[in-house]
Amino acid sequence: MTFVSHPIFLIFLTFFFFLLAKILQNKTGFFLLNPILLTIFALIAFLQCFDIEYSTYEKAGDFIAFWLQPAVVALGVPLYLQLEKIKEQWLPILLSQLVGCVVGIVSVVLLAQLFGASREVVLSLAPKSVTTPIAMEISSVIGGIPSLTVATVVCTGLFGALAGIQIVRISRIKSEEARGLSIGTASHAVGTSAAMEVSPIVGTYSSLGLTLNGILTAILTPIIVPMLV
Amino acid sequence: MIRQCAILFGCLALGDLIVYLTGIKFPASIIGMLLLTFLLKLGWIKLEWVRGLTDFLIANLGFFFVPPGVALMLHFGLIKAQIIPILGATILSTILVLIVTGQSHEIVFRLKENRKKKEK
């Protein structure tokens, strides 16, 4: 039994489930079969089947999640490649980011209260639009539960990756730049990974959106949330 | 590969150092990203020195989120009790952000273009 809870095996399993999920998605092309979502559910099912604690999986998972930080640094490359274009339209970019950031924080807090969420849940949801390391930091600053924040950040990202491109299309956002900004602002790195598959421009603006919204949200959440909660 | 790792982790470590020295509550990774962009812009780092590793990391960004996502299982009780507020607020708010961000970018962009045309 110790074999299945060994970190090496759990790391293998994470890669293996993700690989299977990718093959499944490529074969069916069905957008709900998102590899991240499928792998998370498959792993949870496996851990519960074999009665393995999350803390045991965490030891293995940390080796993978460790790469989140360097991956965020790596986004500096597409940012650099688009610098000239960004300089040309700094005003529309900055304004739309500000609007997106404030709407994101205010709407999730008000909606959660409206639906009757408890205070700690409301606080955990507030930074849901930004990437995990930033969101956890904000959550602990304002008094939320960081690991619940991680869960909602992942949910938000998955929703953006699954439906983001359809929603911007339906709401008649036409330029690739605006589409990318929307997806990155709303659904951080997970949305960006889907945006990268749409086109390099959508992907880059999405990573720009995730960056700027990360910065703005880190600054504005501790100011806005106490006014609402 | 070694040079690529050295640069990427160098930026991250510098970001960490800045957070440590200034005491700001801000993720080191975002500071590291801005540093990387800045150093590329200055030409101190050449694009081909980091390109391979950064392309690999960006292409597999989603995969690194799997372990934090598994943490969902820790909160099944809380999530089950408040599933409607959590999912409802998250999804509706995400839709709102998607729409207003792109729309306001297009509106401001169009206003700017119109003004440019008038000036001509």
Side-chain angles (χ1 to χ4, degrees):
Chain A
M1 266 323 247
T2 49
F3 174 74
V4 289
S5 61
H6 195 273
I8 298 285
F9 179 75
L10 291 173
I11 290 176
F12 156 74
L13 209 62
T14 311
F15 277 110
F16 182 65
F17 282 157
F18 200 78
L19 180 67
L20 285 185
K22 272 221 135 141
I23 293 171
L24 195 67
Q25 196 191 32
N26 286 342
K27 281 240 161 98
T28 60
F30 185 48
F31 77 101
L32 264 182
L33 292 177
N34 177 285
I36 306 168
L37 194 67
L38 282 182
T39 311
I40 291 170
F41 284 145
L43 281 169
I44 292 179
F46 177 87
L47 295 176
Q48 295 204 322
C49 260
F50 287 89
D51 225 3
I52 301 166
E53 296 270 324
Y54 173 73
S55 56
T56 309
Y57 176 75
E58 201 179 11
K59 280 188 206 108
D62 276 349
F63 285 102
I64 297 167
F66 165 79
W67 290 94
L68 267 174
Q69 282 201 312
V72 171
V73 178
L75 289 171
V77 169
L79 192 61
Y80 161 73
L81 293 174
Q82 292 289 324
L83 266 186
E84 289 310 309
K85 251 187 136 173
I86 293 162
K87 252 192 235 153
E88 270 170 38
Q89 17 172 320
W90 65 272
L91 188 67
I93 291 175
L94 201 70
L95 283 178
S96 61
Q97 289 303 298
L98 204 60
V99 173
C101 171
V102 173
V103 167
I105 302 168
V106 173
S107 66
V108 80
V109 168
L110 293 183
L111 283 165
Q113 286 176 327
L114 189 74
F115 287 130
S118 63
R119 189 187 151 82
E120 55 182 355
V121 169
V122 172
L123 293 173
S124 310
L125 289 179
K128 60 137 186 40
S129 284
V130 295
T131 197
T132 313
I134 309 180
M136 284 180 80
E137 188 72 47
I138 300 173
S139 181
S140 61
V141 170
I142 61 173
I145 313 165
S147 59
L148 180 62
T149 299
V150 173
T152 59
V153 165
V154 174
C155 286
T156 307
L158 287 171
F159 180 72
L162 294 173
I165 193 72
Q166 280 92 333
I167 290 172
V168 291
R169 228 177 250 152
I170 294 167
S171 50
R172 284 192 264 164
I173 295 162
K174 294 203 181 68
S175 75
E176 290 202 292
E177 289 86 353
R179 285 181 173 182
L181 282 173
S182 273
I183 295 174
T185 306
S187 54
H188 58 88
V190 180
T192 302
S193 69
M196 285 282 179
E197 281 166 28
V198 178
S199 87
I201 297 180
V202 177
T204 306
Y205 275 82
S206 183
S207 55
L208 183 65
L210 105 86
T211 314
L212 293 176
N213 194 34
I215 298 170
L216 286 174
T217 305
I219 300 169
L220 294 178
T221 314
I223 303 172
I224 296 176
V225 170
M227 292 194 257
L228 301 170
V229 179
Chain B
M1 200 61 193
I2 300 292
R3 175 155 70 186
Q4 296 179 0
C5 281
I7 293 171
L8 218 56
F9 282 98
C11 288
L12 193 54
L14 257 175
D16 253 334
L17 183 70
I18 292 172
V19 171
Y20 173 73
L21 289 179
T22 60
I24 48 169
K25 293 226 181 262
F26 204 72
S29 56
I30 295 276
I31 299 174
M33 169 175 65
L34 296 173
L35 281 172
L36 179 61
T37 309
F38 190 59
L39 292 173
L40 283 165
K41 177 73 189 157
L42 287 178
W44 293 8
I45 290 175
K46 291 212 165 54
L47 192 56
E48 61 267 26
W49 292 356
V50 285
R51 198 67 196 266
L53 181 61
T54 56
D55 282 352
F56 169 78
L57 288 174
I58 294 168
N60 296 292
L61 207 53
F63 179 70
F64 308 127
F65 274 92
V66 169
V70 176
L72 270 171
M73 66 188 281
L74 287 176
H75 301 287
F76 271 163
L78 190 62
I79 293 171
K80 222 165 143 191
Q82 306 196 29
I83 186 83
I84 306 280
I86 293 175
L87 275 188
T90 305
I91 290 177
L92 286 177
S93 162
T94 306
I95 294 175
L96 275 175
V97 176
L98 280 166
I99 296 173
V100 298
T101 309
Q103 285 293 359
S104 47
H105 178 267
E106 294 210 319
I107 291 168
V108 179
F109 190 74
R110 237 177 282 138
L111 287 176
K112 237 180 76 185
E113 292 290 295
N114 285 347
R115 224 170 60 197
K116 241 191 241 163
K117 265 182 216 156
K118 267 186 200 160
E119 277 167 13
K120 278 174 193 168

